[in-house]
Amino acid sequence: MSLRVLVVDDQGIVRAGFAAVIDAEDDMTVVGEAADGVDAVRLASDLAPDVVVMDVRMPELDGIAATRIITGRESAPRVLVLTTFDLDAYVFDALRAGASGFLLKDVHASELLHGIRVVAAGESVLAPSATRRLIGHYASGPVTGAGAGPHELNTLTGSQRNVLALLASGLNNAEIAEELGITVGTVKSHVNALLRKLGLRDRVQATILAYDLGLARPNPPGPHL
């Protein structure tokens, strides 16, 4: 089955360009286009896309606000934010609003397509510059210690807490499995369980929570979030 994609951008030529690149893929179909956040929210509900490719700066309702509304619904699509402006506020706000990824508009077409497939699969993707600054943001802030956190954190098993910390440090499932001496399937089970227990949508939100609570400490940025 083709991935259903909604493209949102206030510039018609940019929107058409993204749509053409996506529609050319055998495993993707552009089911709709929107020029502002209001239409994006409506079409995300009406068309049930798997992924929304979302611009940030738009009239009526910006991409951050639209993302927050869209991801707050049941059976929400994944949101991949694409913007020209590589600003800290956009990165942090987009991820906290529920976006599963953040890329710059000057990415190669192959990177955009890869990003759509990654977030559709429930993973996360960030532009390298965004990853560096996200980690730098937490590196410069206070680390509160693993004991702090909401009541839900206490529902995690020791293994799930370990997986959460390693996930937030930038390791993928295979690397976490090697680090802990368990199978990749077991890692996936732990990730799914901790996301469910903490009420989180994906690895991006889990990473942010882990840093906020001091469960993870910044490492040099790698290829994964």
Side-chain angles (χ1 to χ4, degrees):
M1 293 180 63
S2 292
L3 289 176
R4 296 168 57 82
V5 182
L6 171 63
V7 178
V8 184
D9 197 292
D10 66 333
Q11 297 183 35
I13 190 168
V14 174
R15 192 169 65 247
F18 287 151
V21 168
I22 295 166
D23 249 344
E25 296 296 294
D26 292 338
D27 62 338
M28 296 183 191
T29 300
V30 174
V31 295
E33 299 180 28
D36 57 55
V38 173
D39 278 345
V41 170
R42 177 179 58 82
L43 291 177
S45 176
D46 293 346
L47 302 175
D50 299 302
V51 177
V52 179
V53 175
M54 180 77 74
D55 188 20
V56 172
R57 296 183 64 172
M58 296 183 295
E60 302 297 330
L61 187 71
D62 68 33
I64 303 299
T67 295
R68 186 173 293 109
I69 294 170
I70 291 170
T71 60
R73 295 169 170 169
E74 262 187 71
S75 302
R78 304 288 176 175
V79 176
L80 175 61
V81 169
L82 249 63
T83 181
T84 307
F85 303 93
D86 189 18
L87 302 177
D88 286 353
Y90 288 167
V91 178
F92 302 138
D93 289 350
L95 298 181
R96 292 187 186 281
S100 296
F102 183 99
L103 294 174
L104 298 179
K105 287 184 179 179
D106 62 359
V107 296
H108 190 275
S110 61
E111 294 178 77
L112 169 61
L113 297 170
H114 173 71
I116 292 171
R117 294 185 178 102
V118 167
V119 298
E123 300 290 337
S124 55
V125 61
L126 285 181
S129 59
T131 304
R132 284 194 296 272
R133 292 204 315 282
L134 183 64
I135 291 176
H137 168 76
Y138 285 106
S140 63
V143 177
T144 59
H151 170 71
E152 289 82 359
L153 200 59
N154 297 328
T155 67
L156 299 185
T157 65
S159 295
Q160 289 165 358
R161 290 171 71 102
N162 289 338
V163 168
L164 175 58
L166 291 172
L167 178 158
S169 72
L171 302 187
N172 60 31
N173 287 348
E175 292 165 337
I176 294 173
E178 182 177 357
E179 180 75 19
L180 297 179
I182 57 180
T183 67
V184 173
T186 300
V187 173
K188 290 181 180 178
S189 295
H190 285 324
V191 171
N192 290 335
L194 70 88
L195 292 177
R196 183 180 66 254
K197 288 181 177 181
L198 297 176
L200 304 173
R201 283 185 51 79
D202 52 34
R203 297 167 76 101
V204 170
Q205 291 191 337
T207 296
I208 291 173
L209 179 66
Y211 278 114
D212 281 345
L213 300 179
L215 296 177
R217 295 174 182 271
N219 290 325
H224 307 285
L225 176 64

